[in-house]
Amino acid sequence: MPMAMDDTEQQMLVQWCMAAQVFTESEFRQVIQRTYNTEEEEMEEIQPVVEQINSSMGAFSLELRSCMDQTTGTRKWALVNTNADAISTGATPYSASELVTLKTLVVGVFTEKMGNYSLSLHDALRIATKRNGTVAGTLTRAETESLIRKFCDDGWLATDSDDGYVVLGDRSIIELQSFFNVGFADYIRLCSLCKEMATLGIVCMECMEAVHPYCANRLMSASAGQLSCPACNKHIPQLNKFGPGERGVPHALESVAGSVRGESVAASVRGESVGVEEPATQSIKKLRIEDSSDEE
């Protein structure tokens, strides 16, 4: 494969990336092959193309970025806006009130208090209706559902078809990294194996490291079906899952883990006595009480 693109080739690729919004690495390879009129076996990797596009598009705050599908391992790409507030700058087809609603939903999903990075469809509809009502008149339920579907179609959000949860779409995970890093760093989880952001998976309660479902399967395949934490090598029970419909692991636990020994945090979750480590237990109980009494 040629190591350099002329302006026409690069323009074709950039236009395709912008139109596709989010695309798999396989799709990207096919477009590169057509652009260069080359065979697949002649193209060893796509990184030279990515670097060339990023070098030329950096002046416009645009960059090709990718993320791994957390369940299947498929790599997905998008040409993203690198500004911290990419929701406002990247979601240009939306009205001002729709942008406010989108940002509210994205933040609501990302900061969901049980650490599942998801909202029930009911809660998402309530949040969207309430937020739109403050800036542009109250929407009907049908209008709100239509707006959420629009956000899903554009890749900012997605729905879990089995249980009716609203989660972050691939576009949000890829494009909003700076947005999350700047404003919501305490809510970011990284997979201990692949080091990419994790919004579903399993948490090791000994050291509070997370592992994607796909990465967990890789680990178990290499160790006769046993799942051990890549960070501390302790066994990870399958109960410690987070994601749509799961029990979850509140982010507050990870804050507690910063000042309390990991074993005391794990014991607190299991409801065991931890002696002098009482603050961890109190924090977790407080979370549970708030969760059961919160009408929101």
Side-chain angles (χ1 to χ4, degrees), residues 205 208 253 256-257 260-270 280 284:
M205 299 308 296
M208 306 309 294
L253 293 185
V256 171
V260 183
R261 290 183 297 116
E263 56 265 29
S264 71
V265 178
S268 298
V269 173
R270 295 191 297 266
I284 295 162

Side-chain angles (χ1 to χ4, degrees), residues 184-262:
F184 304 94
D186 289 343
Y187 293 90
I188 295 175
R189 285 187 180 129
L190 298 180
C191 174
S192 184
L193 186 64
C194 72
K195 308 304 180 183
E196 294 195 16
M197 190 166 72
T199 59
L200 71 158
I202 304 175
V203 171
C204 172
M205 299 308 296
E206 298 294 334
C207 65
M208 306 309 294
E209 292 288 328
V211 184
H212 289 134
Y214 174 75
C215 293
N217 289 335
R218 287 175 57 197
L219 290 169
M220 288 189 291
S221 296
S223 57
Q226 296 296 313
L227 179 58
S228 297
C229 176
C232 69
N233 294 320
K234 298 291 186 179
H235 173 68
I236 304 179
Q238 294 290 329
L239 295 176
N240 302 333
K241 292 183 178 180
F242 63 97
E246 300 293 350
R247 177 183 177 183
V249 179
H251 294 287
L253 293 185
E254 294 168 86
S255 298
V256 171
S259 57
V260 183
R261 290 183 297 116

Side-chain angles (χ1 to χ4, degrees), residues 101 104-105 119-133 141 144 148 294-296:
T101 301
T104 302
L105 286 170
L119 294 171
S120 69
L121 183 57
H122 171 77
D123 285 341
L125 288 169
R126 176 180 53 81
I127 290 173
T129 302
K130 180 179 179 181
R131 172 55 60 184
N132 243 289
R141 181 182 177 90
T144 304
I148 291 177
D294 191 351
E295 296 181 355
E296 292 292 313

Side-chain angles (χ1 to χ4, degrees), residues 44-77:
E44 296 181 357
E45 59 181 38
I46 66 172
Q47 195 58 36
V49 174
V50 171
E51 291 174 357
Q52 290 171 49
I53 291 177
N54 287 346
S55 177
S56 62
M57 300 304 292
F60 304 99
S61 298
L62 295 174
E63 182 177 281
L64 274 171
R65 291 180 181 174
S66 69
C67 74
M68 182 190 72
D69 185 289
Q70 299 173 71
T71 301
T72 67
T74 301
R75 186 150 295 278
K76 298 181 180 180
W77 290 82

